[in-house]
Structure formats: structure tokens, C-alpha cells
Amino acid sequence: MINPLKGMKDLTFDESQRFVHIITTASTIAKRYGYSYIETPLLEQTALFKRSVGESSDIVGKEMYQFIDKGKNDVCLRPEGTAGVVRAFVSAKLDRQPLKYKFYYYGPMFRYERPQKGRLREFHQFGCESFGEGSVYEDFTIISMIKDIFDALGIGYDIQINSLGCPACMPPYRDDLVAFLSNIKEELCDDCKRRIDTNPIRVLDCKNKSCQAKLTDSPKLLSQLCQECDSDFEKLKKLLDDADINYSIDTNLVRGLDYYSKSAFEFVSNEIGAQSAIAGGGRYDKLVEFLDGKPTPAVGYAIGIERIMELVTMPKVEREGIYLGAMSQEAIDMLFPIASRKRQEQKVTVEYAPKGLKAHLKSADRAGAKSIAIIGEDELKDGKIWVKDLETKEEKVITIKEF
RNA sequence: GUGGAUGUAGUUCAGUUGGUAGAGCACCUGUUUGUGGCACAGGUUGUCGCGGGUUCGAGCCCCGUCGUCCACCCCA
């Protein structure tokens, strides 16, 4: 038996229904916010992710499905969605238009990691990217959209926000932080010691409690933001307050990807194991230029489908369609013209084997049909069909033509 | 990459100090030979993950291997 690869999963029945429900709900809401669908390749040049996600990130450093294809191209299965959408945006030269573009997408992402709860090697994201809008109103609007989606899906969450600064205020802060961390280096965990050189900002969200204790007096970026970043962050908080959206400020919230600046936010759930982030995003005003486009402000987010899968409250399933069957072999063929006609407007299940009435009723019940129509011996004789509504239990015998 | 659990029927799991497998659910049949969901009765289903070892004998003990789950790292 051939099983799926490690960290890859088939979705069927309840799970696939949940998947579809999540995608349709999110898509519907994204469209209301003015977003249109974009589909980009799953396979891209490795250079795209190195330049956008950043070589210092674990994603690029050790988690990519990277290989050389038959044309000797260095390629990767996409580990996240934003890079591809930005590349598509630049490839289509939309950066030369003085217009705003908003795209939503969904699909599989790939990261070569050890699977655990809420983390797969092939997983799915639903995401949105808004280009050309530098206003913090857009950051707020995007957070509202995610809220609408989770509310529609019946998912509970907490929102955490932070500001990551911009090229004007982040580098000086980073230097201050490195200086601070270097002083207490010996008291930090081994990972953090390493991070001081590789990615000092990451020390801030170390899960190690003793490290966290040492960080209470660390320099805070929020108090060193430049004037623009500071006023944008204040505005974002006010907008959220005015909209009655609850949030907490997490100064240690660091997005895992290098391209974020200014607003960063995360939606978390405490019901799904160690991987608590169910959506994350933020502003990335410099990424379009990094990928050879004209400077274009942008903001976006992604939702982890698998992480919210079991949190979703599904709409009640209603009985639907007709179950068609016959009790004798000679009547089976008569079912197909009926099925064909009925399928123009509703779901039809045809049972090809002749069975007793009881067996048919059981099958119809299991198929979730709303009604059952059977040609039995009696009906066969005078061109009729027996029809029963499985909910109201009303039944009648009518001519096939009439049905 | 590191650590901890675990692998027995379609599924969830039991299986005592080693004596070659069992329950619930599901499924099929019947009670009701033309009336579903409920109830009752009966029935089908297994390379006990795989490979080796110990033993008269291994689902159980030992070694290896593969898979799964959970956690770390990191992230959606």
C-alpha cells in the first residue's frame, strides 16, 4: 500500500467539507473588501524566496523543498504565498500603474519540517495582499477582514499587534538591542546566544521563561519608533478601539519573515496545541522594491487553514436531493432518463442494483437524500413511480411522466 | 535536526506472570418476503507495522527498522 508522504494529508468527507467551507467563507468576505482572486505557480525560482523571505529565516535556511529541475533550474515549492503574489504583481508590471490592487489567494504551501499538531509539510493558506495603499487605514481594514472571516466561521481568537518600525527607526534600535543582549549574553539560552548574531529581534519571542525574565528591561522598539511609525501605530490602536476590536500589544511579536515593517499582527487561539497562530500578517512596504518593482507600499496576511479546521462551526447539514432505485432488474434502465432530467436542477443518487424497499430506504437515508423514488413491481406494471419525502414522510404513487 | 510516546479488525481500543486474538462502533442479514432513522437477534472482518533474536511456544521479552502522534526549534 502506498501511503502519503510524511507531513502530507488527504482530506475527505468532514475534513474536505470543512476545507471548502473555510475557503468559500473567506473568499466571499475578501471579495466584499474589494479583493479579486489571483493564482500563482506552486513552483518558483529559489532566488525569489531567498530574496523575499530572507536567508536568515529558518524557512529559507532549512525548510524549503528545493531541487534542480530537468532544465537545471534551481527551484522551490513555495513555502508561503506572499512572495509569489508580489512577484506576479511585478511581473505584470502593475507597479507602474498608479492604481491600487488587491488580491486574495489560497492553496498549498510546503515546508520541510517535522510534522506535529497544526504543522504539516504540505499545508494550506488563505491570504490577501493589498498593493499601493500606504495608509494605516488599510492595516486596520485588513485586520477587520480577518475578524469578519473568523467571526463568520465561529472561531474564537485573540489579536496581538506590534510595530516593527521601518528602515529609519529599526536599524538604530537593532543596534541598541544587540548592545543590551551582549551584556547579558551569558545568562541567555544557547539558542538566544546564537540569535544575537543571526537575528537579534528573534530573542524577544524566545519561549524560554528564564530568557523572558532577563528581557524585562530590554530596549523597546515601540518607544524608539520614528515619528511616522509612531503616529501610524497610535492611529491603528485608535481605529481598533473605535471599532470595538479587542487586541493586546505584544512588543515581542516578531514576524518570522524578514520582509515585514511597521504594523505586524497575529490572531492566536489557545485551543489548538502549541502552534497557536491561526493567522498572521503585516505591512511590507519594501518588498516590492526588493523584487525589482517600483517602490509600492503593501500589506497582507495569511490564515492557516489546517490550524482552524477543527475550530470551525459547520452549518447544519440538510437532507438534499433524490434517491432513485428499482426493485427488479428490468426497471433499472428506466431510472436513467428520470435521473438525467432531475439532475438539471438537483442532486440525484441512482442505485444500480435491484433491492427490497427496506434496503432502498436505508440506503437513501444514508445518502442523506431528501426524497426517495422507487419503481417496484406494482409501479412497473402501469408506468408509475412511488415517491416518498423522507422528512415529512408523505408518500404518493404518480406516473413517471408526471414525476 | 533533538526529545518523549505509540503501532492489534473499516474505526476506537482491550489483551493479565509469554500458551498463536477480543469488545464497542461501523457494516451485512433477519425479526418486518413493499416502508428509513430506534430496538432486539445473528453474522463478516486481522500477515497483531516490518525484519531479526530469545523460547518447546512471542501480540506480550530483546535488538533493529519504518510509520504515526506530541513537544522543542521555527512558523500559518
Side-chain angles (χ1 to χ4, degrees):
Chain A
M1 184 170 52
I2 297 177
N3 288 315
L5 291 167
K6 185 194 281 282
M8 318 235 161
K9 267 181 80 173
D10 303 312
L11 297 181
T12 50
F13 309 118
D14 181 57
E15 284 184 311
S16 55
Q17 279 176 32
R18 284 170 178 274
F19 185 90
V20 170
H21 183 241
I22 290 167
I23 298 300
T24 51
T25 302
S27 301
T28 301
I29 291 170
K31 280 184 240 173
R32 284 185 205 153
Y33 276 80
Y35 285 70
S36 62
Y37 183 68
I38 184 169
E39 173 79 22
T40 68
L42 271 61
L43 206 56
E44 295 271 8
Q45 290 183 37
T46 299
L48 171 63
F49 303 111
K50 288 194 170 171
R51 274 164 69 182
S52 60
V53 178
E55 302 221 39
S56 71
S57 71
D58 274 18
I59 293 179
V60 169
K62 56 183 191 187
E63 295 174 359
M64 290 213 291
Y65 271 92
Q66 179 182 3
F67 59 96
I68 306 297
D69 74 7
K70 290 180 179 179
K72 304 233 187 336
N73 303 295
D74 187 352
V75 299
C76 273
L77 284 166
R78 63 183 183 193
E80 57 97 47
T82 301
V85 174
V86 174
R87 186 208 44 70
F89 174 81
V90 175
S91 294
K93 301 191 196 301
L94 301 179
D95 54 325
R96 317 261 174 118
Q97 302 272 342
L99 295 170
K100 287 154 192 166
Y101 290 95
K102 301 173 191 219
F103 298 109
Y104 74 90
Y105 63 88
Y106 60 88
M109 308 294 163
F110 301 85
R111 294 183 197 172
Y112 197 87
E113 309 179 80
R114 281 283 284 271
Q116 69 184 74
K117 192 170 182 62
R119 193 167 75 201
L120 293 166
R121 287 185 172 180
E122 180 186 23
F123 61 102
H124 298 77
Q125 290 186 334
F126 176 94
C128 282
E129 313 293 350
S130 166
F131 295 99
E133 182 55 81
S135 161
V136 69
Y137 285 114
E138 188 71 342
D139 307 28
F140 162 74
T141 301
I142 282 230
I143 292 173
S144 306
M145 190 200 321
I146 305 171
K147 173 186 154 28
D148 283 356
I149 291 171
F150 285 157
D151 288 351
L153 292 170
I155 295 172
Y157 52 83
D158 290 314
I159 303 175
Q160 297 173 349
I161 62 168
N162 192 22
S163 176
L164 302 178
C166 65
C169 51
M170 173 50 104
Y173 166 73
R174 186 186 166 109
D175 293 343
D176 285 358
L177 183 64
V178 170
F180 173 86
L181 294 174
S182 299
N183 274 330
I184 58 166
K185 185 170 182 178
E186 291 315 312
E187 302 168 60
L188 296 172
C189 70
D190 290 343
D191 283 329
C192 285
K193 284 175 189 163
R194 178 175 47 80
R195 290 187 185 115
I196 293 175
D197 298 319
T198 58
N199 200 339
I201 309 297
R202 290 229 71 89
V203 175
L204 297 177
D205 73 344
C206 179
K207 305 287 192 296
N208 190 315
K209 287 198 175 79
S210 77
C211 287
Q212 283 303 327
K214 306 289 187 308
L215 294 172
T216 36
D217 297 326
S218 68
K220 303 295 184 216
L221 175 58
L222 286 187
S223 57
Q224 290 181 228
L225 290 175
C226 65
Q227 202 194 336
E228 187 189 318
C229 287
D230 185 60
S231 71
D232 275 358
F233 193 58
E234 291 304 315
K235 182 72 177 178
L236 177 61
K237 287 190 285 184
K238 182 174 185 305
L239 288 167
L240 292 170
D241 289 337
D242 290 351
D244 283 326
I245 296 175
N246 294 318
Y247 62 90
S248 55
I249 295 168
D250 180 358
T251 55
N252 295 342
L253 170 62
V254 178
R255 311 265 61 244
L257 293 72
D258 288 358
Y259 52 65
Y260 287 106
S261 58
K262 289 192 173 176
S263 307
F265 51 82
E266 209 160 83
F267 283 61
V268 297
S269 165
N270 55 15
E271 301 174 50
I272 54 168
Q275 312 304 318
S276 58
I278 53 176
R283 184 161 277 284
Y284 50 93
D285 288 344
K286 295 293 165 193
L287 183 56
V288 175
E289 319 177 40
F290 283 170
L291 295 176
D292 306 322
K294 290 175 71 173
T296 306
V299 54
Y301 73 87
I303 294 173
I305 308 289
E306 282 81 359
R307 294 210 176 153
I308 60 171
M309 201 83 111
E310 52 196 51
L311 269 33
V312 180
T313 35
M314 292 292 286
K316 208 176 87 213
V317 288
E318 309 258 326
R319 285 180 174 279
E320 183 199 359
I322 308 173
Y323 172 100
L324 276 180
M327 293 170 67
S328 56
Q329 183 60 51
E330 47 187 324
I332 297 286
D333 287 6
M334 300 168 65
L335 300 175
F336 296 96
I338 304 172
S340 165
R341 174 158 50 86
K342 290 293 184 186
R343 277 187 179 128
Q344 300 309 308
E345 50 190 30
Q346 59 186 312
K347 175 179 167 183
V348 177
T349 306
V350 181
E351 171 57 54
Y352 303 153
K355 288 191 200 176
L357 185 63
K358 186 188 172 74
H360 275 310
L361 279 160
K362 265 189 162 173
S363 306
D365 204 35
R366 201 166 328 148
K370 185 175 184 309
S371 61
I372 179 170
I374 301 293
I375 302 178
E377 268 110 51
D378 298 346
E379 290 79 12
L380 182 61
K381 273 182 276 176
D382 35 38
K384 295 195 166 169
I385 189 163
W386 173 84
V387 183
K388 177 171 183 175
D389 186 307
L390 289 169
E391 283 171 334
T392 65
K393 303 187 184 190
E394 284 169 44
E395 47 188 285
K396 58 189 173 183
V397 175
I398 53 177
T399 63
I400 289 172
K401 213 169 155 188
E402 203 180 347
F403 179 62

